[in-house]
Amino acid sequence: MYINDDAVLIVRAPFSTSEKIINKVVLKYKNRLQKTQEEIQLRNLKFKKKEFVDGERFLYLGNYYNLKLVDNREVLLDFKDDFLLSKKYLSYAKNIFIIWYKERAYEKISQRVRRYAQKNGFEYNKINITNAQKRWGSCSHQGNLSFSWRLIMAPLSIIDSVVVHELVHLEVKNHSKAFWNKVGSLDPEYKEHKDWLKSNGYLLRLI
């Protein structure tokens, strides 16, 4: 069970699970779920969906930068202390931003993965950038590492924390004490980084 970004309860269960059992489990955690829903609803009131207007602010590596709409028809989206977006492509602004973020996410995250892998002897297969809304990163049994493009909006320390988390999963597949001990040795402030994502992850989106 989890509450999504729209404060809607999502319940996943085996196909054979009866509705009675599902309801029993939901009722067991009713108070906690309602509290989480209220927190997300309040949070969403603070978050304003992007309208892609001149002067609007967009996150990149933990900092906000203004959007400037320009007449240059050859530039879809450029970044020079501010985001520069051609007025001609304004109707495609959201997709253009997502493509830009994905490209930067792959470049930066690949760089950080290589850095930590080489320094600590991790061996991985390949890196994927995903559209995941709830999962910041994952590690497959084949050694493939996947990361949400939205991470590129977060500070570098947060990106590094997620990278370390997934790299350690190459060696320890669960979240045992041994796993967290290994994570802590590479990222001593991982608890603070987890808390940051929990509190601010909702900001790392466009809509």
Side-chain angles (χ1 to χ4, degrees):
M1 297 184 296
Y2 70 91
I3 310 296
N4 69 13
D5 288 336
D6 295 317
V8 175
L9 171 64
I10 306 296
V11 180
R12 292 196 174 99
F15 187 75
S16 60
T17 308
S18 69
E19 188 174 340
K20 181 179 179 181
I21 291 177
I22 292 174
N23 288 335
K24 183 178 179 180
V25 174
V26 171
L27 286 173
K28 180 180 179 180
Y29 297 99
K30 178 182 177 182
N31 291 338
R32 186 188 301 179
L33 292 168
Q34 285 182 335
K35 182 181 178 181
T36 302
Q37 282 182 312
E38 291 169 0
E39 290 173 351
I40 292 176
Q41 288 169 346
L42 181 62
R43 186 186 73 185
N44 286 344
L45 289 175
K46 299 177 183 178
F47 178 81
K48 187 177 180 182
K49 293 182 179 181
K50 298 303 182 185
E51 299 176 350
F52 304 97
V53 295
D54 205 61
E56 194 170 23
R57 300 195 307 160
F58 288 79
L59 273 169
Y60 176 50
L61 292 176
N63 294 310
Y64 279 101
Y65 298 92
N66 292 329
L67 172 64
K68 291 185 178 180
L69 302 180
V70 297
D71 293 319
N72 189 340
R73 291 171 173 255
E74 296 180 5
V75 175
L76 272 73
L77 181 65
D78 198 5
F79 179 74
K80 296 177 180 177
D81 296 325
D82 290 304
F83 284 104
L84 307 178
L85 176 68
S86 173
K87 294 177 182 177
K88 178 183 178 181
Y89 303 106
L90 191 55
S91 58
Y92 307 104
K94 187 185 84 169
N95 289 334
I96 290 172
F97 259 92
I98 290 175
I99 291 171
W100 189 89
Y101 276 135
K102 282 183 175 180
E103 290 174 348
R104 298 304 177 278
Y106 184 79
E107 291 172 3
K108 180 59 69 175
I109 292 174
S110 294
Q111 178 191 84
R112 306 310 286 179
V113 168
R114 286 194 299 270
R115 178 177 183 271
Y116 281 97
Q118 292 170 2
K119 186 177 179 180
N120 300 284
F122 292 111
E123 294 184 6
Y124 61 94
N125 186 18
K126 62 180 181 178
I127 298 169
N128 301 307
I129 299 300
T130 73
N131 293 311
Q133 296 292 314
K134 294 293 293 185
R135 204 169 192 180
W136 299 111
S138 63
C139 174
S140 75
H141 288 292
Q142 293 76 35
N144 298 323
L145 305 176
S146 297
F147 301 92
S148 171
W149 63 263
R150 298 191 301 145
L151 270 176
I152 198 62
M153 298 184 191
L156 188 58
S157 61
I158 302 302
I159 295 175
D160 283 351
S161 186
V162 176
V163 164
V164 165
H165 186 110
E166 301 311 330
L167 282 172
V168 174
H169 271 314
L170 292 168
E171 296 183 355
V172 187
K173 303 300 182 184
N174 51 44
H175 288 111
S176 61
K177 184 177 180 180
F179 171 82
W180 291 115
N181 286 341
K182 181 71 172 180
V183 169
S185 69
L186 302 177
D187 178 21
E189 298 180 346
Y190 77 89
K191 291 181 180 178
E192 288 82 356
H193 296 149
K194 280 181 64 180
D195 289 341
W196 189 95
L197 273 175
K198 186 176 180 180
S199 300
N200 300 284
Y202 75 100
L203 295 171
L204 311 183
R205 56 185 175 132
L206 297 176
I207 57 174

